[in-house]
Amino acid sequence: MTTGSRAPVIEASGLSLTFATNDGPVHALSNVDLVVEKGDFVSFIGPSGCGKTTFLRVAADLEHPTSGTIRVNGMSPAEARQKRAYGYVFQSAGLFPWRTIEANIRLPLEIMGYSRAEQQERVRRVMALVELEGFEAKHPWQLSGGMRQRASIARALAFDADILLMDEPFGALDEIVRDKLNEQLLDLWRRTRKTIGFVTHSILEAAYLSTRIVVMSPRPGRVTDVIESTLPPDDRPLHIRESRDFLEIAARVRDGLRAGTDDEV
Amino acid sequence: MIVQRIASGNTLPVLAVVGLIIALWYLMAIVLNAPWAYDQAGRQDTTLGFGELVAATWSQDRPRLPAPHQVTAELWKTTIEVAPTSRRSLFHHAWITLSATLLGFAMGTVLGILLAVAIVHNRAMDASVMPWIIASQTIPILAIAPMIIVVLASLGLTGLLPKAVISMYLSFFPVVVGMVKGLRSPDRILLDQLHTWNASEVETFLKLRWPAALPYLFASLKVAVAASLVGAIIGELPTGAVAGLGARMLSGSYYGQTVQIWSALVMASILAASLVALVGLAERVTGRLMGVRP
């Protein structure tokens, strides 16, 4: 798992986060130890309330842990955020409705102070990367859900973050569109070699995309299994999902999920 | 073609409602002005048939309720037949009221936006100022308007500005309330998104809060511009009724000139409708520029 050339990008140890609610404390994360290495495609899977999204939000400095430590690129999440170390793709595309697609993708670049020419160049490049050429001047409402999500991914890729954190980005899309975007995402990961943290509900999606799968379970949110994928990272056509290796991985994820929730179902 | 378009659009229902209102107005004129007509007839020892009664109630010099054609005639006489610069011109009075309305509306809008920005960005402002803003609107404007005029006059300020201040007093309120809601309207996701890009408060305001608040602003401005006009008219009442639509209404009531009062009322309502329509136009143009879904 820790071969010499690979560097840890996200390191969590003893990470806990407890939300105080009216119904008493909710243990969203309990004593999570996890290392994500450079170039990994790590999926987080588990039922609602298992803390998969919370973990991503803590890494992104959108939530603050109650105890334990987490380092992102060797820095605290706040420092990593200020250094713009990661791009974050939310569950809904989160596009600004009054901006065209092009202007939406340009927004982080404007905020980060890139020159006008550089903005232009980067927007053009990432729009090509997610195959949205020709839709520059459209507004979000004029696009399909899948295209909106692609624009959102392009926006996260527009600046030079080498980490991509994705919180159920394809959760609201139908299966056909989701398959297509999964393929495109893998292709994109192969070309850019960014480190990707990917939250999902779908066993198929996790098994198809990931180099590692982190299985989590709720109450308290914790890691129950970490599965190394045996599939070749650079050659995954969609029909690999019918292979024996793939089905074994999927079965192990399913077992992990079942073990984590058995006590309460 | 044209007939079809009129029949299928808004025109027909609007015309129907206007027709109904005018019919009701004529009817009420008969009812309200009948006692005086009977009284007059009684003094001359004559009796009135229905036709004569109607004619009498629709043509009095100082009716309780002037008939629409009397108001129209008065409007015509005081707008088209006199030069707009004349002191007898209703346009002259409308402009005096309108200038105070527009100045007060502008001041109220700016004040309202500034207060809303402060309230949204500062917890102390939110807790301390909002109750006072609401309290300010519970004081009857008729009670406070003379105070404002007296206080400002003692500071040497007379004419346009005191009226505009009263106008502002009424118009800043809907703007504050609408803008506080509007500036707080962005989705959590969009705020989080900007946070991940390490955007500053100023950038968050310019790129997210302000554009997200614009639909709320326009809704508020429609209320505010009408309130501004009311404020300007009220501001003209305690000044001794020199000029303006408020002055026309006041002098009309001194001398029992109901036709004059009603023509000033109609002029004021035309003015208000035009102002609201202009804000609506600005809203549509802004919406189009922002690429809002039609």
Side-chain angles (χ1 to χ4, degrees), chain B residues 22-23 31-32 34 54 65 97 134 141 171 178 193 207 216 223 255:
Chain B
I22 290 176
V31 174
L32 289 170
V54 168
L65 180 65
T97 305
I134 291 166
I141 187 65
S171 64
Q193 191 84 70
K207 309 237 184 240
Y216 295 80
V223 181
Y255 303 111

Side-chain angles (χ1 to χ4, degrees), chain B residues 5 7 24 43 75 102 106 116 139 150 204 211 221 236 246 251 256-257 273:
Chain B
R5 277 182 57 188
L24 200 65
R43 285 171 198 217
L75 276 171
L102 292 178
I139 303 166
V150 168
T204 305
L221 289 184
E236 284 161 356
S251 70
Q257 294 288 352

Side-chain angles (χ1 to χ4, degrees), chain A residues 138-239:
Chain A
K138 297 274 188 251
H139 280 87
W141 63 268
Q142 293 168 301
L143 266 58
S144 69
M147 289 165 94
R148 282 203 289 269
Q149 210 48 266
R150 260 149 58 197
S152 176
I153 293 169
R155 186 174 56 176
L157 294 171
F159 51 101
D160 285 325
D162 51 10
I163 308 171
L164 195 54
L165 302 175
M166 309 176 87
D167 181 9
E168 292 191 50
F170 310 139
L173 305 177
D174 66 65
E175 186 124 12
I176 299 161
V177 177
R178 186 190 270 230
D179 275 356
K180 176 127 181 69
L181 291 189
N182 279 342
E183 249 185 321
Q184 287 182 343
L185 180 61
L186 261 190
D187 188 44
L188 201 139
W189 171 71
R190 244 174 254 131
R191 276 184 285 163
T192 59
R193 285 298 171 191
K194 291 187 190 285
T195 309
I196 299 185
F198 187 92
V199 165
T200 179
H201 264 122
S202 156
I203 295 173
L204 286 186
E205 199 170 57
Y208 176 63
L209 293 172
S210 322
T211 56
R212 290 170 76 208
I213 302 163
V214 177
V215 182
M216 299 180 76
S217 71
R219 286 171 291 273
R222 62 195 188 280
V223 175
T224 49
D225 196 5
V226 177
I227 301 165
E228 296 286 328
S229 177
T230 50
L231 302 177
D234 293 333
D235 180 30
R236 294 188 183 184
L238 272 177
H239 60 73

Side-chain angles (χ1 to χ4, degrees), chain B residues 111-122:
Chain B
L111 176 67
I113 291 173
L114 289 180
L115 280 170
V117 169
I119 286 169
V120 167
H121 288 90
N122 188 310

